[in-house]
Amino acid sequence: MLLTKYVDKLPIIPTQQPSDKIDGFYYYKMNMQQFKQKLHRDLLPTTVWGFNGNYPGPIIDVKRNQNISVKWINNLPSKHLLPVDTTIHGAEKDVPRVRTVTHLHGAVVQPESDGYPDAWYTNDYKVVGPKFTREVYEYPNRQRAATLWYHDHAIGITRLNIYAGLAGIYIIRDPAENFLCLPKGDYDIPLFIQDRSFNDDGSLFYPSQTDPPNPHVNPSIVHDFFGDTILVNGMVWPYLEVEPRKYRFRIINGSNSRFYNIYLSNKQPFYQIGTDQGLLKSPVLTKEILLAPAERAEVILDFSRCWGQNIVLLNNAVSPYPRGEEVDEDTTGQIMQFRVVKHLNRMDYSLIPHRLTCITPWNENDAKVKRDLTLDRSEDQYGRGLMLLDNRRWMDKILIKPQLGSIEVWKFVNLSNATHPIHIHLVDFLVLDRQSFDVEHYKETGKIITTGPVKLPDLNERGWKDTVRANPGELTRIIMKFVPYTGLYPWHCHILEHEDHEMMLPYEVIY
Ligand code: C2O
Ligand code: CU
Ligand code: CU
């Protein structure tokens, strides 16, 4: 079914109000439910999962340093909306099908509030996972202003829970940012991009089998998933009417596997001002931005010379990335449309300052520990391909134990043929560099022979990150400091089909 593009308005996602203020904490209730929502004019209402009746969930909008607590309530039915593969670790036959635990991606929080994959629970906490400790999560928000997002993280079914709709945006604002005079209020708009496929009756389609089907497992996890339809803020190919002025857009790739290389149909350059963990040092003028799953980009689009134009946000990233199929120009090659038809409401006094923030990098020489971590391709017991980190699995002994307060350099040695967006909980990091190396030689000898020059990260990657693209045949190095909490946290590939299929490991920050 081909849906007509640009017939529905871009939904402005509601902002969640706290339900109470207890001991100086704002207290939020986020109720996970199943309901029907119209995702396109010509599509019957789709059964989705969401928070407080919205897919994607309402925006939690907080100020830096303002403590909040959130009760993520599982009010979901006991039957899953999508096919559950019970051969996946954590999703076995004897555990309940519908389990949830919410993680705030990019947040600095204690392990008990981080949404550990084994800290899941069912409706009304009737059954809880082995690492479940508490019902109410605390978010101190003691970190830079940034666009974060919350999403489900239940072991073995994260891809399905997020695909069903369990994700939303969380914005930390810093009043100090006001001095920058960036576009704000109605001119500061989050764009949450996801790809989906639909059945004729409007229901979500998610594959229950690999192609060709696995003879031993049914339903089976797939290597990756690419929907044929693009949604922004929960609407299929929406349009947004804009004024001829500057806008700030917070773009979040909330897709399971799809990368987007975004650009504008009029080839207009634009400024990227922020990345995963907030503002860049200075704006970066660019014509395109590559976003892997979970990466974010904040941009300023200036429509002031575009009166009357329809400008389309396009995508030309292959899938899987970087050795996959071209996008279809009429479908996945398009994201949304801007119509510059509104009259200027008031003068646009917003600015694009030369200097946005200061970034003081860690020094590599201060790194106590340097780790080489391979990204491998392997096979599971059913003959299905799977990807691993450090050739290990989730339940293996934990080898990575950084000391509290220490700086480490991690080098991802990508032996596979895919780019993996590697995400580490708790910390934000800086990308040091990338370099190509001889993969075959490494596989034979375990030794690295580099085959190209050291490449600095892209200009728009030179800010604080929590997710980094590790390309095939390349070494990708990042530097970070393990503060301020001790305990167990996951790190993983953010291609959700990889994450669910063992491309995730715990690490432990120790005293
Ligand atoms: Cu966005 Cu561990 O996740
Ligand atoms: Cu995270
Ligand atoms: Cu991956």
Side-chain angles (χ1 to χ4, degrees), residues 387 418-422 493-495 498-499 503:
M387 305 285 190
T419 294
H420 300 282
I422 303 297
C493 175
H494 221 290
I495 291 176
H498 295 181
E499 173 184 344
M503 204 175 190

Side-chain angles (χ1 to χ4, degrees), residues 311-323:
I311 301 167
V312 181
L313 188 64
L314 298 170
N315 161 42
N316 62 7
V318 296
S319 53
Y321 195 86
R323 294 173 193 157

Side-chain angles (χ1 to χ4, degrees), residues 215-227:
H216 313 290
V217 186
N218 192 18
S220 169
I221 193 168
V222 290
H223 306 295
D224 41 33
F225 168 81
F226 304 101

Side-chain angles (χ1 to χ4, degrees), residues 1-3 37-40 42-48 55 163-164 194-207 225-232 234-237:
M1 170 189 2
L2 186 56
L3 295 165
Q37 186 171 314
K38 275 288 266 187
L39 305 183
H40 182 272
D42 304 329
L43 204 56
L44 289 167
T46 304
T47 302
V48 292
Y55 156 70
Y163 192 79
Q194 297 185 307
D195 58 339
R196 295 287 182 267
S197 292
F198 296 99
N199 299 309
D200 285 339
D201 63 358
S203 58
L204 286 170
F205 168 81
Y206 187 87
F225 168 81
F226 304 101
D228 58 13
T229 306
I230 309 295
L231 290 82
V232 186
M235 193 62 83
V236 171
W237 288 306

Side-chain angles (χ1 to χ4, degrees), residues 422-482:
I422 303 297
H423 168 53
I424 307 174
H425 287 215
L426 179 69
V427 293
D428 41 11
F429 51 75
L430 292 169
V431 184
L432 287 172
D433 46 45
R434 295 189 176 91
Q435 192 171 20
S436 58
F437 71 103
D438 187 335
V439 173
E440 289 317 311
H441 188 267
Y442 186 94
K443 282 183 182 164
E444 280 158 29
T445 65
K447 296 217 167 59
I448 293 171
I449 298 184
T450 58
T451 55
V454 176
K455 293 180 294 179
L456 291 176
D458 296 342
L459 285 177
N460 60 6
E461 286 180 300
R462 298 187 193 176
W464 295 105
K465 299 273 295 165
D466 56 44
T467 307
V468 64
R469 277 171 269 115
N471 299 315
E474 276 187 358
L475 311 168
T476 304
R477 296 197 314 143
I478 60 170
I479 187 165
M480 66 219 133
K481 187 173 188 172
F482 290 88

